């Protein structure tokens, strides 16, 4: 039984190539939770196999800029030449319904959300070491060498920002990392500050 009515906003973040997307997908395949994924909007071209409205909403730069002007994003960031953003209305709607909403976003965007949603849960996914991150960026093979180099340099600048998060989860093995995230979400639910109001009401504590 949950004691909090509004859903939990869970932000999974960390440098590009740490496997955030893979961990997030593994998390959603696990049983015993009721998480909703917030589908981001991007101006990047779809990669092979990516599906509109499932992996991303793919839009033009003009459309993205128009939406920025109309204040439609909870956060957005420019990342290696493209825009990525979280549509605000959908997140609010789901949280109001008491759903747990998961964002999987890069570091700059996560820190913007931190400013706006103080009660969110912020999880930094870290690689087990730098070589593993580099290997993963190379293995992905969907980017030009120059882009890989830019992503690696960006990751180096982001490592020190982990201290701004509530939790650090090392992605040593995808299922372990997803397991730890689920454990964090469960523990966050039981936090007194999130549940005391309903608890007092339930037991008529004055
Ligand atoms: P990719 O091009 O590899 O799909 O994503 C590049 C980076 O953008 C990844 O680190 C991914 O987590 C991040 N990203 C995806 N969606 C969003 C979003 O809505 N906002 C922000 N700030 N970053 C995002």
């Amino acid at each position: 039984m949950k004691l909090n009515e509004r859903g939990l906003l869970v932000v999974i973040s960390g440098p590009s190539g740490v496997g955030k997307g893979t961990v997030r997908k593994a998390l959603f395949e696990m049983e015993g939770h009721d998480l909703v994924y917030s589908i981001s909007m991007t101006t990047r071209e779809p990669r092979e196999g990516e599906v509109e409205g499932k992996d991303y909403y793919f839009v033009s730069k003009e459309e993205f800029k128009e939406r920025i002007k109309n204040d439609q994003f909870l956060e957005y960031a420019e990342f290696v030449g493209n825009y990525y953003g979280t549509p605000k209305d959908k997140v609010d709607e789901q949280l109001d319904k008491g759903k747990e909403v998961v964002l999987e976003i890069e570091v700059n965007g996560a820190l913007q959300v931190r400013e706006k949603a103080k009660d969110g849960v912020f999880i930094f996914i870290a690689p087990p070491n730098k070589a593993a991150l580099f290997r993963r960026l190379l293995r992905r093979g969907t980017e030009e060498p120059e882009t890989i180099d830019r992503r690696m340099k960006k990751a180096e600048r982001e490592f020190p920002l982990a201290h701004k998060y509530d939790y650090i989860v090392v992605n040593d093995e995808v299922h372990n990392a997803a397991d730890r995230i689920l454990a964090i979400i469960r523990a966050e639910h039981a936090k007194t500050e999130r549940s005391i109001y309903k608890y007092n009401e339930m037991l008529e504590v004055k």
Side-chain angles (χ1 to χ4, degrees):
M1 175 184 178
K2 282 199 297 191
L3 283 176
N4 23 18
E5 275 158 12
R6 194 167 151 86
L8 205 61
L9 180 67
V10 180
V11 180
I12 298 176
S13 182
S16 166
V18 351
K20 297 189 290 293
T22 320
V23 171
R24 185 254 304 165
K25 283 180 191 139
L27 177 68
F28 274 84
E29 279 163 14
M30 292 169 85
E31 309 265 307
H33 64 73
D34 194 17
L35 305 170
V36 174
Y37 176 55
S38 156
I39 301 159
S40 295
M41 200 165 273
T42 184
T43 62
R44 139 164 110 52
E45 290 293 316
R47 294 191 186 119
E48 212 183 308
E50 283 184 333
V51 177
E52 161 73 21
K54 179 168 175 274
D55 297 288
Y56 281 108
Y57 298 109
F58 297 98
V59 297
S60 66
K61 281 201 170 138
E62 290 67 38
E63 182 172 348
F64 200 101
K65 284 183 185 160
E66 191 59 30
R67 286 172 186 265
I68 296 174
K69 236 195 288 167
N70 296 333
D71 193 27
Q72 290 178 340
F73 292 111
L74 174 62
E75 61 73 37
Y76 70 91
E78 209 177 337
F79 184 86
V80 200
N82 280 299
Y83 285 111
Y84 296 81
T86 303
K88 189 156 64 175
D89 51 345
K90 300 219 169 89
V91 172
D92 281 338
E93 196 183 299
Q94 298 290 344
L95 288 175
D96 287 344
K97 281 193 208 155
K99 299 276 186 197
E100 330 298 359
V101 180
V102 175
L103 312 188
E104 179 236 303
I105 60 179
E106 53 73 65
V107 172
N108 183 348
L111 298 180
Q112 291 172 46
V113 182
R114 171 116 252 185
E115 287 303 307
K116 293 182 187 166
K118 303 279 182 209
D119 59 349
V121 183
F122 293 80
I123 303 173
F124 188 91
I125 309 287
N129 52 59
K130 285 186 191 180
L133 182 69
F134 191 55
R135 267 200 310 275
R136 205 193 295 260
L137 282 173
L138 275 181
R139 209 181 323 129
R140 189 146 72 181
T142 50
E143 262 91 19
E144 301 295 317
E146 191 201 333
T147 309
I148 293 171
D149 188 50
R150 280 169 77 190
R151 288 191 181 220
M152 195 64 205
K153 290 206 170 97
K154 194 165 164 57
E156 291 277 3
R157 291 194 299 275
E158 290 171 345
F159 288 144
L161 297 173
H163 77 96
K164 292 183 182 274
Y165 288 71
D166 301 309
Y167 297 92
I168 298 175
V169 166
V170 176
N171 183 18
D172 45 3
E173 206 278 312
V174 175
H175 286 277
N176 289 343
D179 249 352
R180 286 179 206 128
I181 293 176
L182 209 51
I184 290 167
I185 295 172
R186 292 200 175 117
E188 282 289 331
H189 268 299
K191 262 199 168 162
T192 306
E193 68 203 44
R194 294 191 195 280
S195 45
I196 192 75
Y197 180 77
K198 185 96 179 280
Y199 166 87
N200 284 342
E201 216 177 52
M202 187 173 77
L203 296 180
E204 294 170 28
V205 177
K206 294 280 181 264

